[in-house]
Amino acid sequence: MKEQGAQVEGQGCNKTLTALSIALYFLLFAPNVYAMHIAEGILPFNWAALWYLVAAPFVAFGIYRLKKLSVLDLSFKPLVGLMAAVVFIISCMPIPVPTAGTCSHPCGTGISAILLGPAISIIIATVALLIQALFLAHGGLSTWGADIVSMGMMGSFAGFLVFRAFRMIKVNMAIAAFLAGLFADWATYFMTAVELASGIKGDSPFAPLFWKIFLAFIPTQLPLGILEGAMTAGMVMLLYKKRPDLLVKMRVIKAEEVAL
């Protein structure tokens, strides 16, 4: 048992080092940097503070879940670190949307929510967003709470719930994963439009500004959502074919589904 535990821990360390190396590469050698997510200074103080308050209990619960699951499984933290690197890299592909004051980009929270659950996925997004704000000028510290709500919370819950709902009605796993990635991406940008319109509308009506911002995302986010759906389905099906035991362990599928 001790030898097995040491082996698992060693494998976990290797995965963590690999994830950190990939993340460090993107930090040091990313060729072009644009402001992405909601840029620093876009939201007034009261709205920025509100989104921090909304995000705080979800982040706190995610930390609680991470600590609890890490005690039960020594390999869980390295897996979270690996998924954090994946989400970080995926969400470092910005396409500027000047009319919206932000950027379009894949999010990656669909796959992390499917594999690890929405609570852990929120923590992963929180860490990725913080690193991007500090070192890449992607997003900002004042808008960190708003970005957590849109990408972390909305993306994670949308992806997780869509995947579970379609699997409950026996939809093919690849299709369910594709739809999860698609709706995780679109839900993120729906919420981003809500946050932007709420914060910058001033005395203007909310609805016209919301639709203007939301429609500004469509030319880039429509194909990006489809791309993210395809990436999510590809990752899930690769694990299903190569390491179905991991999907069973993470409760994505049941043990009896492996033989089907």
Side-chain angles (χ1 to χ4, degrees):
M1 290 298 291
K2 289 183 179 179
E3 292 180 359
Q4 290 178 345
Q7 186 177 8
V8 168
E9 191 170 359
Q11 291 174 348
C13 290
N14 290 334
K15 290 178 181 178
T16 303
L17 288 173
T18 302
L20 290 174
S21 299
I22 294 171
L24 184 61
Y25 172 83
F26 273 82
L27 281 172
L28 295 177
F29 301 107
N32 294 308
V33 175
Y34 303 94
M36 67 189 293
H37 314 305
I38 298 179
E40 190 75 77
I42 291 289
L43 298 179
F45 174 80
N46 58 330
W47 281 101
L50 173 64
W51 296 122
Y52 263 96
L53 291 174
V54 172
F58 291 90
V59 173
F61 180 70
I63 294 172
Y64 165 78
R65 286 284 296 165
L66 177 60
K67 289 180 178 179
K68 184 176 180 180
L69 293 172
S70 298
V71 170
L72 298 175
D73 185 353
L74 292 176
S75 65
F76 189 74
K77 273 188 178 179
L79 180 60
V80 172
L82 184 61
M83 285 307 307
V86 170
V87 171
F88 176 84
I89 293 168
I90 289 175
S91 60
C92 276
M93 304 175 185
I95 298 177
V97 184
T99 55
T102 184
C103 286
S104 286
H105 59 88
C107 300
T109 47
I111 183 65
S112 60
I114 289 172
L115 296 180
L116 301 175
I120 303 300
S121 181
I122 290 171
I123 295 301
I124 287 172
T126 298
V127 173
L129 288 164
L130 179 61
I131 295 172
Q132 290 167 356
L134 289 174
F135 298 104
L136 297 179
H138 293 176
L141 294 179
S142 68
T143 56
W144 187 32
D147 289 331
I148 292 171
V149 171
S150 58
M151 183 173 132
M153 289 168 52
M154 286 294 290
S156 297
F157 278 107
F160 178 80
L161 293 174
V162 167
F163 182 79
R164 293 292 181 177
F166 280 101
R167 290 298 290 157
M168 283 179 65
I169 58 175
K170 308 301 182 183
V171 171
N172 176 274
M173 185 159 58
I175 295 175
F178 171 83
L179 293 172
L182 178 73
F183 282 101
D185 186 275
W186 288 354
T188 295
Y189 284 92
F190 176 87
M191 191 65 208
T192 301
V194 170
E195 292 170 341
L196 286 169
S198 300
I200 66 177
K201 71 181 182 64
D203 296 328
S204 303
F206 168 81
L209 183 57
F210 164 77
W211 285 113
K212 181 179 179 180
I213 295 170
F214 182 73
L215 293 173
F217 280 125
I218 289 179
T220 53
Q221 214 55 42
L222 182 63
L224 275 178
I226 295 171
L227 173 63
E228 183 156 1
M231 287 193 300
T232 304
M235 291 179 190
V236 171
M237 293 310 296
L238 181 64
L239 280 174
Y240 182 68
K241 291 178 181 178
K242 300 295 184 180
R243 293 296 305 272
D245 57 302
L246 289 178
L247 294 183
V248 173
K249 180 180 179 180
M250 292 181 284
R251 300 180 180 180
V252 177
I253 61 174
K254 297 178 181 178
E256 55 265 27
E257 293 182 72
V258 175
L260 297 179

